[in-house]
Amino acid sequence: MATPLTLLASAGSKRVRLMQAARAQLRLPPAQVLEWRDWLARPALLADALRQPGLLKIEPPGDDPAAHFLLLQAGCRLLDRAPARAPEHGELLAMDAWFAGFASAMQDLAGQLAALPAIRVFNAPAEIVRMTDKLACQHHLAAHGVAIPALLGPVHGYEHLQALLHQHDLDRVYLKPRYGSSASGVVAYRRNKAGRQQATTSAALQHGDGAARLFNVKRMARYDTQHDIAALVDALAAQELYAETWLNKPRCGDSHYDLRVVTLAGQPAHRVARIGQHMMTNLHLDNRRGEASGLLNAADLEALEAAAAQAACAFPASHVTGYDLVVRQGQAHVLEANAFGDLLPGLLWQGADTYAAQLTQLTHA
């Protein structure tokens, strides 16, 4: 008899469709879907959905604006803030409050699962939370001996950024929202001795009503005035921001690339090069895929697999994770861990896509 699978997810999302297709391909019954918004409103629904021994996979709540807003409002209450308005499509708004709500929900979920020992979870809620807190995750990886870009720490605003650059004698850094995902709000910042500066980002800046607003867009934006860059950095810092040293990515023709590796049960499986002409190479930003094996020599491939396996060891309760890496001259650095890093439609490893592979591995474990 097939092991039942329940997804805590958004029913209409691409992730659910791909998982259901993988189950059909493996001749498994469809997964049961528990909507994030429904569970947040009625937590008892989880125990009802998990009456039989089986598997639970937690998918990101961000696919559903209603669930995102519920978590945002819960976070505002936890932080003793005034209720936030609903973000417009693509708006980066109070990411720190959203994370507070999300972390609290994951803690509640972990408590529920502790009373359901017959349920195996793909990725443990506590590890999902740690990977979602990007700064804490990088510290965690470093503590486990994983090579990462050097961290400059939190950035409290534009003036603080300038002080950090002076302190570390740097003229370029990456700025990353602590609780962002998919390059949302990431800024590649550069300045020179003549005083010119430039910020390249997927966050479009809008001025209005005396406050800057940020929107995640697919077309990269470039700002080169102090007024705009200060507004950008200050708006991101208000939602928690950190800086890390600039790590050059290897070249591929007139582009450059980094790599995404998906690990299953702690071992490297699917891998793909993400190639683009901008600093951010995320595939949803209209960058292109490349074969990792065609770009890396034997030493680089070995470094890639060793670093991904070492990173996965830092998250022993996570069955499927994604890691972004830069590999150069036999050295690999992990840029980010992603608890939801398996959304790579059509990418095969040993003949199976990411969803079929994780199902096969976990159901035979």
Side-chain angles (χ1 to χ4, degrees):
M1 181 177 176
T3 304
L5 170 65
T6 298
L7 303 174
L8 179 60
S10 301
S13 69
K14 182 181 292 186
R15 295 172 185 272
V16 170
R17 294 197 301 271
L18 289 169
M19 178 60 83
Q20 300 291 34
R23 289 187 68 81
Q25 175 190 347
L26 296 171
R27 298 184 179 179
L28 297 171
Q32 174 184 211
V33 179
L34 173 58
E35 288 269 6
W36 261 98
R37 63 170 75 181
D38 295 337
W39 173 69
L40 290 170
R42 296 173 57 198
L45 290 175
L46 185 75
D48 293 341
L50 302 177
R51 286 188 298 270
Q52 296 180 330
L55 302 168
L56 172 68
K57 187 164 193 273
I58 304 161
E59 297 287 15
D63 292 327
D64 178 5
H68 180 93
F69 187 51
L70 286 170
L71 293 170
L72 176 60
Q73 294 291 65
C76 288
R77 291 192 295 271
L78 288 166
L79 298 176
D80 197 24
R81 290 187 193 172
R85 59 177 173 78
E88 295 184 21
H89 178 70
E91 186 175 9
L92 305 180
L93 176 68
M95 289 184 281
D96 55 336
W98 173 88
F99 176 78
F102 176 70
S104 177
M106 287 291 94
Q107 185 175 12
D108 292 344
L109 178 60
Q112 288 187 283
L113 292 173
L116 299 168
I119 301 301
R120 287 188 293 163
V121 63
F122 275 60
N123 291 358
E127 294 194 352
I128 291 175
V129 170
R130 176 162 278 168
M131 282 185 263
T132 305
D133 181 341
K134 301 303 182 184
L135 180 56
C137 180
Q138 289 301 87
H139 283 301
H140 179 72
L141 289 171
H144 283 76
V146 178
I148 63 167
L151 297 170
L152 279 66
V155 174
H156 304 304
Y158 176 78
E159 294 301 329
H160 183 228
L161 169 63
Q162 299 305 313
L164 282 173
L165 292 169
H166 178 74
Q167 175 187 343
H168 293 276
D169 193 24
L170 295 172
D171 58 11
R172 54 182 184 167
V173 291
Y174 274 94
L175 306 174
K176 296 184 175 182
R178 181 165 181 169
Y179 312 114
S181 63
S182 302
S184 298
V186 174
V187 179
Y189 175 84
R190 296 184 284 192
R191 67 179 189 179
N192 63 22
K193 290 180 173 57
R196 289 190 293 272
Q197 53 186 323
Q198 182 183 92
T200 304
T201 179
S202 61
L205 178 66
Q206 291 187 8
H207 296 284
D209 299 327
R213 298 175 66 186
L214 302 173
F215 291 85
N216 193 41
V217 294
K218 292 183 70 172
R219 182 181 295 277
M220 302 297 290
R222 182 175 295 171
Y223 300 99
D224 55 16
T225 69
Q226 180 172 329
H227 177 264
D228 283 342
I229 294 174
L232 171 69
V233 174
D234 288 346
L236 289 168
Q239 305 177 54
E240 294 203 42
L241 185 69
Y242 70 97
E244 68 181 29
T245 55
W246 187 293
L247 202 62
N248 285 326
K249 296 181 180 180
R251 304 292 301 182
C252 174
D254 62 351
S255 302
H256 48 242
Y257 67 92
D258 61 13
L259 300 121
R260 163 65 61 87
V261 177
V262 177
T263 62
L264 300 177
Q267 296 303 310
H270 303 74
R271 68 282 310 267
V272 63
R274 309 184 306 178
I275 306 171
Q277 296 185 342
H278 296 291
M279 287 78 167
M280 290 63 159
T281 53
N282 301 66
L283 294 174
H284 76 283
L285 296 175
D286 291 334
N287 295 306
R288 67 185 191 275
R289 294 182 181 187
E291 288 284 345
S293 59
L295 292 169
L296 303 182
N297 59 32
D300 286 344
L301 282 170
E302 183 178 349
L304 175 74
E305 297 201 351
Q310 187 179 16
C313 284
F315 297 100
S318 294
H319 172 67
V320 53
T321 51
Y323 298 96
D324 299 336
L325 304 100
V326 166
V327 184
R328 292 171 60 91
Q329 300 175 333
Q331 299 288 324
H333 290 79
V334 175
L335 304 177
E336 183 175 311
N338 192 330
F340 309 117
D342 54 356
L343 182 59
L344 294 162
L347 182 65
L348 302 183
W349 174 250
Q350 297 181 346
D353 71 11
T354 57
Y355 294 90
Q358 63 191 264
L359 285 170
T360 299
Q361 203 286 333
L362 195 59
T363 54
H364 287 90

